[in-house]
Amino acid sequence: MAGTRKYSCETASQTLEWIDAIIHFIKPYTFLMNAHVVNFFTDRLWEAVDKEWMDCLRGEPVENLLLIPCGEVQDHWPASLKNFLHNLRSLVFPREQVDLQKIFPGLTVASLGSVLSQGMNVKKKHEVEILSAITSFIAKRVEAKTVVDVGAGQGYLAQVLSFQYQHSVVAIDACSHHGSVTNARAERIKKHYAAQLRRSGSVNTSLLVPKTVTCRVLSTNMLKALSDTLVREDGQTNLTGEENEELCVKIDSSYGGGKEDSLVLAGLHACGDLSVTMLKTFVECVEVKAVVSIGCCYNLLSEEGVDNAGMQCGFPMSNGVKSEGLSLGKCARDLACQSAERWRSLEKDDASHNFELHLFRAAFQMVLSKYYPEVLKTSPSIGRQGKALRRQQRRRTLESSVNSSILLQRDCEGGPLVRQIEAGTGGKSGPVLAKLAGQGGARCEDTSFRDKCLHFEKFNLSGLNRLGLKPLQDINFCSIWRETEPFAELIGPYWSLRAGLGAVLETLILLDRLLFLQEKGSSLEAFMLPAFDPSLSPRNLAIVAVKI
């Protein structure tokens, strides 16, 4: 990836040049970015893609399709397809984890012990170890009194910053359950560290425990006011329900004076507009000296448009992108959440089941279009029901495969299966076995089609149930399946090509955030870096900014 990189984002002009190149690149592919894959059959979406590409990819092994989002090509692919993927790859921000020592000289990433890491999976432990070290490093550099963990979840980052790095921390999250879990977990950790202090004779040493607040952050003033209010209070605070909302409105409207405290904002995968609010708060509030932001859930970003004209939106942030008049739309922002690393790491069978799920959902749209046309006006969603069916199907496939292998092996050895047939035919198994062998190919094909129809029918019945619809008596699911089946092998290539645009769209969204900071001039330093190992944490791009 690094060898193909053409662009830089060290300065605002360089970042804007990179952004302009991305916008120029994606414009011819808006049909692909804005497509709803559920309409694959109803709108014959594959016909909008270069026919030479689809003819080539329709017979491509699944393993090769999974590499498309990473920009990897095969020698026998059309030159135009290879150029598309090479250009795409050159526009994507590199994902390979940087040498953190080069960026932050003297940084030490401490491994978390069993007490602090309790409840974390490998991914979360990796993320918290690195981000807590970076945040602590920056907090010490700017001499911040408090770190505010925005979108704190269950408080993993906040607790490591408090107990391991000894920072005063405020943990803010919108979910009251998360606040309760954070408090209970912090108490358990506190007891462990208190026992350690007693054994070491350091009885006079006080332990810092994160202060928690449950609140949906709706503005930069609210975020700053919450942090400032809680920093001044003694003890641990957990605000929930209507009382919390009333307090948030009160302090949001009254904020503007009082004691100044230096703060650092940190967010580990702060969702949607929350990451944007963090960056705006950093710029607008004198007390906030630095920000470390790793965003996610771009699909939940608000975007400038007709429906929210004049509102403060999550995209675009920078004047440079605003001047382009660019609108991504929800489908493109959904696409930005696709992870090339996760595609690459998928097993062949898992990928095939994913493609089949998209296939069933698109064919279900054909059922709705033919038998329930009025429902399509409401943009129906059947949620995650398809994933449950997929898991059931995988179990059935595995069981069927195991059973078939056992029976075939016994059959070849003249074992119980042959003896059962002989018993049922008075010992005259030869003609029966010969007939079975002669009909094997056709029966296998028929069985495969019937199995697909059966799975498709179950998917449809589940989907109709999720939508509160009763199956009509005249629905012919097999007829719909037979109509779509000739194009079924195109959905994998189509979805892979769409997913290939995901990384470049994420790069665009994050470069817009970086440019927003760079446009503020020499009063601050801002940069972006891949902080995590992408094989463990694909959403690994951190934006770091410090006021000078």
Side-chain angles (χ1 to χ4, degrees):
M1 182 75 74
T4 61
R5 186 176 179 185
K6 299 179 182 178
Y7 302 95
S8 175
C9 55
E10 294 181 6
T11 66
S13 60
Q14 290 175 336
T15 303
L16 185 57
E17 180 184 0
W18 194 339
I19 289 171
D20 286 339
I22 291 175
I23 293 173
H24 177 75
F25 174 79
I26 64 176
K27 276 185 177 177
Y29 303 104
T30 52
F31 72 91
L32 203 54
M33 293 179 344
N34 296 326
H36 292 268
V37 181
V38 296
N39 296 325
F40 185 75
F41 295 118
T42 55
D43 294 347
R44 300 179 70 87
L45 295 179
W46 65 89
E47 293 181 349
V49 182
D50 189 309
K51 187 176 184 300
E52 188 181 18
W53 295 9
M54 297 304 285
D55 287 344
C56 170
L57 295 177
R58 72 185 303 167
E60 200 68 21
V62 171
E63 300 93 314
N64 291 346
L65 296 180
L66 295 177
L67 297 178
I68 287 177
C70 296
E72 295 191 21
V73 302
Q74 307 300 319
D75 291 339
H76 62 277
W77 288 0
S80 58
L81 176 57
K82 289 192 282 189
N83 287 337
F84 166 76
L85 293 173
H86 283 145
N87 290 335
L88 185 151
R89 184 169 60 180
S90 72
L91 291 165
V92 172
F93 196 94
R95 291 311 186 103
E96 184 178 352
Q97 185 181 20
V98 296
D99 183 348
L100 295 173
Q101 283 287 342
K102 291 183 178 179
I103 308 296
F104 308 104
L107 175 75
T108 300
V109 178
S111 179
L112 298 182
S114 59
V115 175
L116 273 176
S117 64
Q118 184 179 11
M120 300 184 195
N121 58 23
V122 174
K123 173 180 176 290
K124 181 63 69 176
K125 183 172 181 286
H126 172 73
E127 294 167 345
V128 171
E129 283 178 344
I130 291 175
L131 193 61
S132 61
I134 293 174
T135 303
S136 177
F137 181 91
I138 291 173
K140 291 175 181 177
R141 171 182 163 184
V142 300
E143 299 180 340
K145 294 183 178 179
T146 302
V147 176
V148 182
D149 182 4
V150 184
Q154 296 187 34
Y156 294 135
L157 177 63
Q159 288 156 4
V160 173
L161 286 168
S162 286
F163 291 108
Q164 181 150 309
Y165 291 99
Q166 287 296 292
H167 292 285
S168 169
V169 180
V170 175
I172 300 177
D173 195 85
C175 176
S176 59
H177 174 68
H178 285 167
S180 300
V181 171
T182 299
N183 291 342
R185 190 172 184 273
E187 281 301 314
R188 291 196 299 271
I189 297 172
K190 182 180 178 181
K191 289 179 181 178
H192 169 80
Y193 277 86
Q196 279 191 335
L197 291 174
R198 285 194 299 272
R199 285 194 295 268
S200 66
S202 304
V203 291
N204 295 324
T205 303
S206 61
L207 287 172
L208 292 173
V209 179
K211 300 178 179 68
T212 59
V213 60
T214 299
C215 176
R216 185 181 178 189
V217 177
L218 300 175
S219 69
T220 55
N221 277 352
M222 182 182 289
L223 176 56
K224 174 60 186 74
L226 280 169
S227 305
D228 193 44
T229 300
L230 292 170
V231 164
R232 298 179 198 180
E233 291 183 2
D234 293 328
Q236 194 163 340
T237 307
N238 185 30
L239 304 173
T240 58
E242 295 180 2
E243 177 187 2
N244 170 67
E245 296 207 1
E246 291 173 4
L247 175 61
C248 291
V249 172
K250 182 179 178 181
I251 60 179
D252 187 30
S253 60
S254 63
Y255 173 72
K259 173 186 172 184
E260 289 190 2
D261 285 299
S262 55
L263 306 172
V264 170
L265 302 182
L268 175 54
H269 297 145
C271 190
D273 284 346
L274 192 55
S275 290
V276 174
T277 300
M278 289 174 61
L279 300 181
K280 290 179 178 178
T281 302
F282 164 72
V283 169
E284 295 174 12
C285 295
V286 176
E287 296 82 4
V288 180
K289 305 301 181 183
V291 62
V292 183
S293 169
I294 301 179
C296 71
C297 303
Y298 309 116
N299 54 312
L300 300 179
L301 279 173
S302 58
E303 187 173 1
E304 284 195 357
V306 177
D307 295 335
N308 48 21
M311 293 176 58
Q312 291 291 318
C313 294
F315 181 85
M317 289 188 71
S318 68
N319 292 327
V321 178
K322 286 179 181 178
S323 67
E324 297 279 357
L326 175 69
S327 177
L328 290 180
K330 188 177 184 304
C331 285
R333 286 184 277 110
D334 279 339
L335 203 54
C337 298
Q338 289 294 318
S339 164
E341 290 295 333
R342 284 191 176 144
W343 275 73
R344 183 202 293 271
S345 64
L346 271 178
E347 296 292 335
K348 176 184 175 181
D349 288 345
D350 290 335
S352 296
H353 283 298
N354 283 340
F355 291 150
E356 186 174 77
L357 178 59
H358 286 295
L359 175 63
F360 277 7
R361 180 59 184 89
F364 177 61
Q365 198 81 345
M366 292 279 284
V367 173
L368 294 178
S369 177
K370 185 173 182 178
Y371 297 101
Y372 305 89
E374 71 285 352
V375 174
L376 289 183
K377 298 176 184 177
T378 64
S379 300
S381 171
I382 62 172
R384 296 180 177 270
Q385 186 70 9
K387 293 189 177 181
L389 287 172
R390 181 181 65 196
R391 288 193 294 268
Q392 294 171 13
Q393 182 180 341
R394 289 180 65 183
R395 284 196 297 270
R396 285 194 299 268
T397 301
L398 179 61
E399 292 168 0
S400 174
S401 175
V402 170
N403 292 336
S404 297
S405 297
I406 293 172
L407 289 173
L408 285 173
Q409 182 179 2
R410 291 175 176 175
D411 190 10
C412 292
E413 296 170 351
L417 179 60
V418 173
R419 290 196 294 273
Q420 287 173 19
I421 294 174
E422 288 178 341
T425 58
K428 299 176 181 179
S429 62
V432 176
L433 293 175
K435 186 177 181 181
L436 286 173
Q439 295 177 349
R443 177 168 296 184
C444 183
E445 291 178 7
D446 291 343
T447 301
S448 176
F449 180 79
R450 284 198 302 271
D451 285 346
K452 287 290 186 183
C453 279
L454 179 62
H455 294 323
F456 178 56
E457 181 175 349
K458 288 183 177 180
F459 182 94
N460 278 268
L461 293 175
S462 175
L464 292 173
N465 181 62
R466 299 274 289 190
L467 296 176
L469 300 172
K470 293 184 178 180
L472 303 177
Q473 289 186 350
D474 62 338
I475 295 182
N476 190 333
F477 294 115
C478 277
S479 174
I480 295 289
W481 180 252
R482 195 180 298 276
E483 183 181 348
T484 59
E485 192 179 35
F487 309 103
E489 62 183 354
L490 296 175
I491 202 160
Y494 185 87
W495 184 229
S496 301
L497 288 169
R498 279 197 82 233
L501 292 168
V504 77
L505 289 169
E506 181 181 24
T507 297
L508 171 61
I509 290 170
L510 295 180
L511 287 177
D512 169 57
R513 296 178 183 182
L514 180 63
L515 182 60
F516 166 79
L517 296 171
Q518 291 173 331
E519 287 173 344
K520 307 311 172 187
S522 58
S523 62
L524 59 86
E525 175 190 6
F527 55 94
M528 187 158 68
L529 73 156
F532 306 141
D533 179 347
S535 65
L536 289 174
S537 179
R539 197 72 61 226
N540 70 340
L541 296 181
I543 293 178
V544 179
V546 178
K547 287 176 181 170
I548 300 174

